[in-house]
Amino acid sequence: MDYHFEEKFEQINFSENLNLVSEYENCQFINCDLNNLDLNDVKFINCEFIECNLSNTKLINTSFQQVEFKNCKMIGFNLEECNQFGLNVNFNQCILNDSSFYQLPLKKSKFIECSLQNVDFSYTDLSNSYLSNCNFSNAIFDQTILKQANLKTSYNFRINSNENQLKGAIFSKDNLIGLVEHLGIKIE
């Protein structure tokens, strides 16, 4: 079993050169290419990914505990397949288009200035999450728990208040159209 502790990986194309195996704790990945990589069963604990490409990675039973993603390209990032034990992730200025967070416990997660187009949040628990200035164009919210979530500055979302839990969620008057569109109401 390979165990990496407090290591920094910079400008590495893992897709061509190396495979990530076993466990990484308190590690940084900076400007690395992990595109299409098999990360099945890998553990990331208290790690940080900065300006990395994690598009289309395979995430079956992958552990993400206290993991931060900053300025990463993560198209097709299907986190729904990961190990949910201790799952704690935050995203800052990431492109997460065409990804899936289906049925995940993401309480208190942060999504800051992210592109979340065509993302599936069905049955996801986003209670007390902070979703700031995110583009939710064509994102799916179905039976999603958004209690106390802050979407005040986010936009392009369509959330049916009858099919999702919104108690205490924060919205601005500028983005209310996404909450009432399903009612056939016109706001001018």
Side-chain angles (χ1 to χ4, degrees):
M1 178 174 124
D2 288 337
Y3 177 75
H4 299 273
F5 182 73
E6 293 186 351
E7 291 184 44
K8 185 184 279 190
F9 303 90
E10 255 184 294
Q11 297 183 338
I12 297 173
N13 186 342
F14 288 96
S15 300
E16 290 179 1
N17 303 324
L18 303 166
N19 282 323
L20 291 175
V21 292
S22 291
E23 190 168 326
Y24 297 84
E25 186 171 358
N26 295 327
C27 292
Q28 276 191 322
F29 296 84
I30 302 169
N31 199 18
C32 293
D33 188 356
L34 298 98
N35 186 43
N36 283 314
L37 200 64
D38 183 341
L39 298 177
N40 295 343
D41 299 309
V42 178
K43 290 183 181 178
F44 297 100
I45 302 166
N46 207 17
C47 291
E48 189 174 40
F49 291 85
I50 301 168
E51 297 180 356
C52 293
N53 182 356
L54 293 115
S55 295
N56 301 309
T57 51
K58 291 156 192 68
L59 302 172
I60 297 171
N61 204 37
T62 308
S63 292
F64 292 103
Q65 300 174 11
Q66 301 293 106
V67 177
E68 302 281 331
F69 298 95
K70 298 176 182 174
N71 298 309
C72 292
K73 181 179 178 183
M74 306 168 77
I75 296 171
F77 195 74
N78 291 323
L79 199 60
E80 70 181 62
E81 300 173 332
C82 77
N83 184 336
Q84 294 185 20
F85 179 77
L87 177 63
N88 186 301
V89 289
N90 292 301
F91 305 92
N92 191 331
Q93 297 181 331
C94 293
I95 300 171
L96 286 151
N97 299 342
D98 302 307
S99 296
S100 180
F101 297 97
Y102 177 78
Q103 229 173 10
L104 290 176
L106 295 175
K107 292 180 180 180
K108 298 183 180 179
S109 293
K110 291 181 183 172
F111 292 82
I112 299 170
E113 296 181 21
C114 293
S115 180
L116 295 155
Q117 298 178 54
N118 304 307
V119 172
D120 188 355
F121 288 104
S122 298
Y123 296 90
T124 303
D125 188 348
L126 290 165
S127 300
N128 297 296
S129 291
Y130 185 67
L131 305 128
S132 175
N133 202 30
C134 293
N135 182 357
F136 287 100
S137 180
N138 296 312
I140 299 168
F141 294 92
D142 180 26
Q143 306 306 313
T144 308
I145 303 170
L146 290 157
K147 293 179 181 176
Q148 306 293 319
N150 187 334
L151 291 101
K152 189 174 180 179
T153 57
S154 288
Y155 52 97
N156 290 335
F157 55 79
R158 302 292 177 256
I159 302 172
N160 186 325
S161 57
N162 296 323
E163 297 175 0
N164 298 281
Q165 297 179 39
L166 301 175
K167 187 172 184 176
I170 301 168
F171 300 93
S172 74
K173 62 183 177 182
D174 295 329
N175 64 13
L176 285 179
I177 187 78
L179 294 175
V180 298
E181 187 175 64
H182 68 280
L183 299 172
I185 298 172
K186 291 185 180 182
I187 298 177
E188 296 180 7

Short mmCIF file of all heavy atoms in Angstrom, two decimals, residues 1 6 17 25 33 54 77-79 85 118 129 137 147 149-150 178 186:
data_model
loop_
_atom_site.label_atom_id
_atom_site.label_comp_id
_atom_site.label_asym_id
_atom_site.label_seq_id
_atom_site.Cartn_x
_atom_site.Cartn_y
_atom_site.Cartn_z
N MET A 1 0.84 -1.19 0.00
CA MET A 1 0.00 0.00 0.00
C MET A 1 0.88 1.24 0.00
O MET A 1 1.77 1.38 0.82
CB MET A 1 -0.91 -0.01 1.23
CG MET A 1 -1.77 1.21 1.34
SD MET A 1 -2.95 1.07 2.70
CE MET A 1 -2.53 2.54 3.61
N GLU A 6 1.83 14.78 3.21
CA GLU A 6 2.39 16.13 3.05
C GLU A 6 3.33 16.25 1.86
O GLU A 6 4.42 16.82 1.96
CB GLU A 6 3.06 16.59 4.35
CG GLU A 6 2.08 16.79 5.48
CD GLU A 6 2.68 17.38 6.74
OE1 GLU A 6 3.92 17.49 6.83
OE2 GLU A 6 1.89 17.72 7.64
N ASN A 17 1.91 9.40 -17.36
CA ASN A 17 3.11 8.91 -16.67
C ASN A 17 2.86 7.95 -15.51
O ASN A 17 3.51 6.95 -15.37
CB ASN A 17 3.93 10.10 -16.14
CG ASN A 17 4.32 11.05 -17.24
OD1 ASN A 17 4.60 10.62 -18.34
ND2 ASN A 17 4.32 12.34 -16.96
N GLU A 25 -2.59 12.00 2.07
CA GLU A 25 -3.06 12.80 3.20
C GLU A 25 -2.24 14.09 3.28
O GLU A 25 -1.01 14.08 3.21
CB GLU A 25 -2.93 12.02 4.50
CG GLU A 25 -3.53 12.75 5.69
CD GLU A 25 -3.60 11.90 6.94
OE1 GLU A 25 -3.23 10.70 6.90
OE2 GLU A 25 -4.04 12.44 7.97
N ASP A 33 -2.56 16.91 -14.52
CA ASP A 33 -3.56 16.36 -15.44
C ASP A 33 -3.94 14.96 -14.98
O ASP A 33 -3.11 14.05 -15.01
CB ASP A 33 -3.02 16.33 -16.86
CG ASP A 33 -4.08 15.97 -17.88
OD1 ASP A 33 -5.23 15.65 -17.48
OD2 ASP A 33 -3.78 15.99 -19.08
N LEU A 54 -9.48 17.17 -13.80
CA LEU A 54 -10.00 15.91 -13.29
C LEU A 54 -11.22 15.45 -14.10
O LEU A 54 -12.07 14.73 -13.60
CB LEU A 54 -10.40 16.06 -11.82
CG LEU A 54 -9.25 16.30 -10.85
CD1 LEU A 54 -9.35 17.66 -10.21
CD2 LEU A 54 -9.22 15.23 -9.81
N PHE A 77 -17.49 14.81 -13.83
CA PHE A 77 -17.00 14.36 -12.51
C PHE A 77 -18.18 13.72 -11.78
O PHE A 77 -18.99 14.39 -11.18
CB PHE A 77 -16.47 15.59 -11.75
CG PHE A 77 -15.64 15.27 -10.56
CD1 PHE A 77 -14.35 14.79 -10.69
CD2 PHE A 77 -16.14 15.47 -9.28
CE1 PHE A 77 -13.56 14.53 -9.58
CE2 PHE A 77 -15.36 15.21 -8.16
CZ PHE A 77 -14.06 14.73 -8.31
N ASN A 78 -18.27 12.40 -11.83
CA ASN A 78 -19.42 11.69 -11.27
C ASN A 78 -19.13 11.25 -9.84
O ASN A 78 -18.84 10.08 -9.57
CB ASN A 78 -19.81 10.51 -12.15
CG ASN A 78 -20.40 11.00 -13.46
OD1 ASN A 78 -21.10 12.00 -13.49
ND2 ASN A 78 -20.08 10.34 -14.54
N LEU A 79 -19.23 12.20 -8.95
CA LEU A 79 -18.94 11.97 -7.54
C LEU A 79 -19.91 10.99 -6.90
O LEU A 79 -19.63 10.42 -5.85
CB LEU A 79 -18.96 13.32 -6.80
CG LEU A 79 -18.26 13.39 -5.46
CD1 LEU A 79 -16.78 13.07 -5.59
CD2 LEU A 79 -18.44 14.77 -4.85
N PHE A 85 -18.43 7.78 3.03
CA PHE A 85 -17.98 7.89 4.41
C PHE A 85 -17.04 9.10 4.55
O PHE A 85 -16.01 9.18 3.90
CB PHE A 85 -17.25 6.62 4.86
CG PHE A 85 -16.75 6.70 6.27
CD1 PHE A 85 -17.61 6.55 7.34
CD2 PHE A 85 -15.41 6.97 6.52
CE1 PHE A 85 -17.15 6.64 8.64
CE2 PHE A 85 -14.94 7.06 7.82
CZ PHE A 85 -15.81 6.90 8.88
N ASN A 118 -25.82 21.42 -16.50
CA ASN A 118 -26.21 20.02 -16.75
C ASN A 118 -25.77 19.09 -15.62
O ASN A 118 -25.48 17.92 -15.86
CB ASN A 118 -25.63 19.51 -18.08
CG ASN A 118 -26.05 20.38 -19.24
OD1 ASN A 118 -27.23 20.63 -19.44
ND2 ASN A 118 -25.07 20.85 -19.99
N SER A 129 -25.50 24.63 2.66
CA SER A 129 -24.41 24.82 1.70
C SER A 129 -24.39 26.26 1.21
O SER A 129 -25.39 26.97 1.25
CB SER A 129 -24.56 23.88 0.51
OG SER A 129 -24.32 22.56 0.91
N SER A 137 -27.29 26.39 -15.15
CA SER A 137 -28.06 26.20 -16.37
C SER A 137 -28.29 24.71 -16.63
O SER A 137 -27.35 23.92 -16.67
CB SER A 137 -27.30 26.82 -17.55
OG SER A 137 -28.01 26.64 -18.73
N LYS A 147 -32.29 23.01 2.44
CA LYS A 147 -32.62 23.74 3.66
C LYS A 147 -31.44 24.60 4.10
O LYS A 147 -30.31 24.12 4.17
CB LYS A 147 -32.97 22.76 4.79
CG LYS A 147 -34.24 21.98 4.57
CD LYS A 147 -34.48 21.02 5.72
CE LYS A 147 -35.74 20.21 5.51
NZ LYS A 147 -35.92 19.21 6.58
N ALA A 149 -29.72 26.58 2.59
CA ALA A 149 -28.68 26.80 1.58
C ALA A 149 -28.74 28.24 1.09
O ALA A 149 -29.80 28.85 1.04
CB ALA A 149 -28.86 25.84 0.41
N ASN A 150 -27.59 28.79 0.75
CA ASN A 150 -27.51 30.16 0.27
C ASN A 150 -27.23 30.16 -1.23
O ASN A 150 -26.14 29.83 -1.67
CB ASN A 150 -26.41 30.91 1.02
CG ASN A 150 -26.40 32.40 0.69
OD1 ASN A 150 -26.84 32.81 -0.38
ND2 ASN A 150 -25.90 33.19 1.61
N GLY A 178 -36.41 31.49 -11.12
CA GLY A 178 -36.08 30.06 -11.14
C GLY A 178 -36.88 29.24 -10.15
O GLY A 178 -36.89 28.01 -10.21
N LYS A 186 -45.57 34.71 -14.82
CA LYS A 186 -44.64 35.61 -15.50
C LYS A 186 -44.26 36.72 -14.55
O LYS A 186 -45.12 37.36 -13.94
CB LYS A 186 -45.26 36.19 -16.76
CG LYS A 186 -45.46 35.17 -17.85
CD LYS A 186 -45.97 35.83 -19.11
CE LYS A 186 -46.14 34.78 -20.17
NZ LYS A 186 -46.60 35.37 -21.44
#
